[in-house]
Amino acid sequence: MITDNHPRDFGHIICFMFKNYFSIVLLLACFSTFAFGAAGDLDPTFGSGGKVFATVAGMEPARGMTLQPDGKVIIVGTVLGQDSTSDFAVVRLNSDGSTDLGFGTNGLVSIPFDNFANEQATAAAVQSDGKIVIGGSVEFGSQGWDFGIVRLESNGALDTAFGKVKVNIGGDDFANDLILQADGKILLTGTIRPTPNTDVPLVRLTTTGALDTSLNGTGKVFVGIGSGNNDVGNSLAVQPDGKILIAGSTRTASRGYFLLLRFTTNGLPDSTLGSFGFIQTEIGAQFDAATSVAIQSDGKIVAGGNSTSGGPEQPAFVRYNTNGSLDTSFDSDGKVLLNPTPSNTVQIKSLMVLSDGKLIGVGTASASYLLLRMTTNGALDPTFGTGGRVLQSVAPSTSDVARAMLQPDGKVVAAGGGSSTTTFGFTAARFVTVSFPRAGPFDLDGDQKTDVAIFRPNGASSEWWWLRSSNGGN
């Protein structure tokens, strides 16, 4: 028996037992790890090294996602239907990133609303009973495109009691986000075109799919900023007091701004935010747009998105006090404009608040997933990735993020599109936000634990025999 007690830079001790018996060498590893992964690394327990790139015949890249309480990942988008038009598409992954073959047909659910009409799913949410609500847009509405909503059973079957719901608000209506209130009611926002310009809508449905008339008397309301502006709602959040936040943009031909709106529980503009229930925020010198909104535990509101001053888009973040004023403790003026990949366009899609108050923005840059982590004062966090940023390719050629969410354990799951040299598909990845033990040098089953292993030298037929640390298999 030889025991090596000398300290190593990888922080472990391995005990070796050598026995020259039938040409067998037994290596017994006494400790299970030799290094630690860093915050911002891919989670090796998800997909292939933390990444998933999959193709479904006729399915376009993902447009939205949500998480189930059991860690399964719901990805939504569009798939080519039997009539050669686009239908709602829903894919479910297991918590380890593998396809959930018990969901729909081999992990895929395709939902047509009308024959020979296009439909696109853009957002999803999971009810407390496990049913899945999907929102998007459908072409054959009463005045053009309408909001479209369906609900699935936990196995992917259509909930026929809910049905296929269409909501007409005014002109062409496109849904960008959907969330659930604490009481299970369904909120949607996006953009509508009642005139030549677009406005921001808010729709609320009851748990049965009917318009909730306690919101503005009709279940729907819309707001226009200025007579010639094009306004878009991109992201929803609900405050603890039930007030509803929408983040998006308002834009003229030459200028665009972050837009934040707040509604009371009955759908009226909340005059305690700004003067009329909305705030416009200028960041760059040309076009700014908020794509995500989150609420901190202290009630402050954070919006993330993009800004351009004539060059490539850059990631931008704003923090507001509860009354809509800029929070000057956030980078001194309430606004942060970053340049993580000079000369390359960056598009932030999701913003999350961690349990310690730090912020993570997730999006796309240089045809890769991009994660940015900021401290509570808006500075890039040097303990995350490289100087506060992570740039990660997920598919062989290109990767882009549609949406990201935070798991209860603090891990970040993102989903979007991707491509190889021959095909397009959807992508997903999971990242850790705290340091974690990496696998030891004799981890032969990939469970991040060192396995008892036996090497049997026999010329070209030499082989490893090993005993799994987790379940005793070999």
Side-chain angles (χ1 to χ4, degrees), residues 54-60 78-80 89 91 99 106-108 423-426:
T55 58
V56 175
M59 184 174 176
E60 297 180 6
T78 61
V79 66
L80 195 65
V91 172
T99 302
N106 296 322
L108 170 69
T423 188
F424 294 91
F426 68 86

Side-chain angles (χ1 to χ4, degrees), residues 115-171:
N115 292 326
F116 307 107
N118 291 300
E119 297 104 20
Q120 55 190 31
T122 51
V126 179
Q127 295 184 168
S128 58
D129 61 1
K131 293 184 179 182
I132 305 159
V133 183
I134 311 296
S137 310
V138 297
E139 186 176 17
F140 279 6
S142 40
Q143 290 181 302
W145 287 81
D146 279 354
F147 283 13
I149 307 95
V150 295
R151 189 166 66 194
L152 305 181
E153 304 287 353
S154 59
N155 64 358
L158 187 68
D159 181 357
T160 54
F162 188 91
K164 299 176 181 178
V165 177
K166 297 180 183 179
V167 179
N168 171 54
I169 309 159

Side-chain angles (χ1 to χ4, degrees), residues 14-49:
I14 298 181
C15 301
F16 297 97
M17 178 184 290
F18 298 95
K19 186 173 182 180
N20 186 13
Y21 182 69
F22 294 114
S23 300
I24 295 177
V25 180
L26 174 65
L27 298 95
L28 176 61
C30 301
F31 288 86
S32 64
T33 63
F34 74 99
F36 284 85
D41 283 358
L42 288 163
D43 177 4
T45 67
F46 183 80
S48 176

Side-chain angles (χ1 to χ4, degrees), residues 260-262 270-279 301 322-324:
L260 182 69
L261 305 101
R262 188 162 66 197
D270 178 15
S271 59
T272 65
L273 182 87
S275 299
F276 303 100
F278 69 89
I279 297 287
I301 303 160
T322 56
N323 64 358

